[in-house]
Amino acid sequence: MNIIDELEWRGAINQQTDAEGLRELTEQKSISLYCGVDPTGDSMHIGHLIPFIMLKRFQLAGHRPVILIGGATGTIGDPSGRQSERSLQTLEQVQANVDALTAQMKKLFITEGDNQIRLVNNYDWTHKINVIEFLRDYGKNFSINAMLAKDVVASRLESGISFTEFSYQILQSLDFLHLYRHEDVQLQIGGSDQWGNITSGLDLIRKKEGPEAKAFGLTIPLMLKADGTKFGKTAGGAVWLDPNKTTPFEFYQFWANTDDRDVVKYLKYFTFLSKEQIDELAVKVETEPHKREAQKMLAEEMTRFVHGEELLEQAKRITAALFTGDIKSLTADEIEQGFKEMPTYEATKEAKNIVDWLVELGIEPSKRQAREDITKGAISMNGERVSELDLEVTADLAIGGRFIIIRKGKKNYSLVKLS
């Protein structure tokens, strides 16, 4: 399957500047292509992954991807998709973010001895250009009329846009020209909001290199969930790739909880499973949706890709323990991940009667209710049912000396931290 055919089957193409020409080029030779990300933060979230996974697909098809970290454009601010100006970051903060994203990209996409994916930073060539060169050699090639007509600018004219953000498309165009000249890059890919920036780059290449220059642009569709809401957002915010921002368990659960209406689309977009494997899972979504096999496969593939085999197994252990109630099989660190969003209470390590302890913490509203729930077998501690009203709660009962998990009824969990 030609790489363009594969992307079309996966539903991953939104717009192309020259679909026929790009298909012909990718059939003729191995091409270089790029996608960029600005260091607006110290971690990518799952929405950022989509175009870079496309780069990886091109690599697997024998092409040569370039990942661009926007050390220069990150200091300016991309107006795409925004209704107001970005707050400028300090140069020190931008550099810290560049370092963090570079490490993240290397971990995700570059294996040892792999020289097929290259990492570049646009600061390396942009900082050498002085303001006179910028205006004479590049600014002269951009029509204000055309720049104002770009959706990203036109949508901001009423609320206002600074010259800084207005000039962003020139800087991104410079990137495409530089990579075309020095890295033989002939294709830029990006999100649908990057169409204006990509076409500006193509215009600059043809003005500088001649109208016959073979360069192309391709965007991916805006990802929406079946209910019409934006992909990648949860009640708690974005789903980050940094395990310190979104734990591997939370990451796994995000994918495992995918709606039946979305799961096949996500398998196509995000995983490297074959068409045959995905078609088979699609049938199971239709015939055996209760087994959620497609969701489990999606969660496993994505957690393995981002966090590795060890943290995938940890996420699966936590998931299994929560399902079976086998809490004691988890370590203290796994408890911290799995119960992060559950009601949390603080307790001292002083020994106390179970009834008094539950009431003082606020897990039970009264001693009468606590005694009644214990007598009925409705209270479990660390996965084991509490049956004695005179049980003494001590630090020895805590997992890792730190946590006690109380379950009231079938699903009401509470995390108690001992200090």
Side-chain angles (χ1 to χ4, degrees):
M1 190 186 293
N2 175 277
I3 182 61
I4 303 301
D5 291 329
E6 181 180 352
L7 294 183
E8 286 178 345
W9 171 75
R10 290 182 182 274
I13 296 178
N14 181 38
Q15 293 170 289
Q16 296 185 74
T17 54
D18 178 3
E20 189 176 324
L22 181 58
R23 179 185 294 277
E24 186 178 316
L25 185 69
T26 55
E27 288 175 348
Q28 287 175 351
K29 67 172 192 174
S30 169
I31 68 166
S32 290
L33 68 153
Y34 94 99
C35 180
V37 62
D38 279 342
T40 53
D42 58 5
S43 173
M44 293 189 294
H45 54 68
I46 56 175
H48 291 127
L49 266 185
I50 304 172
F52 293 101
I53 285 179
M54 297 305 137
L55 283 190
K56 185 70 176 177
R57 294 195 198 287
F58 271 92
Q59 182 198 18
L60 294 174
H63 302 284
R64 303 185 306 279
V66 175
I67 293 174
L68 182 147
I69 307 289
T73 42
T75 67
I76 300 304
D78 184 356
S80 301
R82 295 182 63 87
Q83 296 303 312
S84 59
E85 289 278 318
R86 293 179 184 272
S87 298
L88 290 180
Q89 300 182 96
T90 65
L91 295 181
E92 291 76 16
Q93 185 59 58
V94 171
Q95 185 57 51
N97 292 344
V98 166
D99 294 340
L101 293 193
T102 300
Q104 212 163 55
M105 287 294 190
K106 286 180 177 179
K107 176 175 177 285
L108 285 170
F109 295 104
I110 300 179
T111 57
E112 191 173 342
D114 179 3
N115 58 4
Q116 289 183 289
I117 291 186
R118 289 160 285 169
L119 265 171
V120 298
N121 182 342
N122 61 15
Y123 182 81
D124 293 343
W125 57 84
T126 306
H127 83 281
K128 299 174 184 176
I129 302 171
N130 66 42
V131 68
I132 301 299
E133 288 176 300
F134 178 75
L135 294 173
R136 284 184 60 88
D137 297 345
Y138 302 106
K140 199 70 175 173
N141 294 282
F142 288 83
S143 158
I144 288 291
N145 305 62
M147 293 175 74
L148 288 172
K150 300 288 184 184
D151 287 345
V152 65
V153 174
S155 65
R156 287 276 298 278
L157 290 180
E158 192 171 324
S159 61
I161 184 170
S162 68
F163 176 76
T164 299
E165 290 197 4
F166 180 64
S167 66
Y168 184 92
Q169 60 183 281
I170 301 179
L171 289 185
Q172 187 164 322
S173 300
L174 274 170
D175 292 341
F176 202 172
L177 176 63
H178 176 89
L179 294 174
Y180 178 87
R181 285 173 168 174
H182 299 282
E183 301 283 352
D184 193 29
V185 166
Q186 292 181 271
L187 170 65
Q188 181 183 173
I189 68 174
S192 57
D193 62 344
Q194 293 301 309
W195 181 252
N197 291 329
I198 291 172
T199 53
S200 292
L202 290 170
D203 290 342
L204 180 62
I205 288 172
R206 287 173 185 137
K207 286 175 181 175
K208 288 287 194 179
E209 302 296 308
E212 301 306 312
K214 282 194 173 183
F216 304 85
L218 180 154
T219 63
I220 57 180
L222 176 66
M223 179 74 83
L224 293 174
K225 295 191 287 188
D227 62 9
T229 58
K230 193 172 180 180
F231 165 80
K233 297 287 185 181
T234 67
V239 180
W240 299 98
L241 307 189
D242 184 340
N244 294 315
K245 293 176 179 286
T246 299
T247 68
F249 168 73
E250 291 171 314
F251 189 84
Y252 179 92
Q253 286 299 314
F254 171 82
W255 300 102
N257 290 324
T258 298
D259 191 302
D260 285 345
R261 297 171 294 173
D262 290 321
V263 68
V264 174
K265 177 172 70 175
Y266 293 176
L267 285 166
K268 289 179 178 180
Y269 255 74
F270 291 100
T271 76
F272 297 95
L273 299 175
S274 68
K275 182 178 186 300
E276 291 73 24
Q277 288 172 300
I278 293 174
D279 286 345
E280 186 178 327
L281 288 165
V283 171
K284 291 183 177 180
V285 173
E286 293 295 325
T287 58
E288 301 176 312
H290 59 285
K291 292 185 177 180
R292 300 186 69 78
E293 289 189 39
Q295 283 89 344
K296 289 174 186 174
M297 180 64 78
L298 175 64
E300 287 188 17
E301 289 292 311
M302 291 311 300
T303 309
R304 181 184 291 111
F305 177 64
V306 172
H307 294 298
E309 195 69 42
E310 185 178 340
L311 292 181
L312 165 62
E313 290 305 316
Q314 182 187 72
K316 288 168 68 177
R317 278 198 306 275
I318 298 171
T319 301
L322 288 173
F323 182 75
T324 62
D326 183 19
I327 305 301
K328 280 194 169 178
S329 65
L330 300 177
T331 65
D333 288 341
E334 290 168 348
I335 291 285
E336 199 163 27
Q337 276 197 58
F339 291 83
K340 185 178 177 184
E341 299 301 322
M342 295 182 184
T344 302
Y345 302 86
E346 300 277 348
T348 67
K349 294 184 177 180
E350 178 188 352
K352 284 198 175 176
N353 172 264
I354 182 66
V355 173
D356 296 334
W357 188 77
L358 291 171
V359 174
E360 286 178 21
L361 287 175
I363 295 174
E364 288 283 17
S366 66
K367 291 184 179 182
R368 182 193 62 77
Q369 187 64 56
R371 284 192 289 267
E372 184 178 323
D373 286 340
I374 291 171
T375 302
K376 288 182 177 179
I379 299 292
S380 293
M381 179 184 292
N382 294 339
E384 295 183 357
R385 185 173 295 172
V386 176
S387 57
E388 301 171 6
L389 291 171
D390 59 354
L391 173 71
E392 287 287 300
V393 181
T394 65
D396 294 339
L397 298 176
I399 296 173
R402 296 162 58 194
F403 302 115
I404 293 176
I405 306 299
I406 297 295
R407 189 180 72 185
K408 184 178 175 182
K410 290 185 177 180
K411 295 182 179 178
N412 295 320
Y413 282 97
S414 298
L415 171 65
V416 181
K417 294 182 177 181
L418 297 193
S419 57

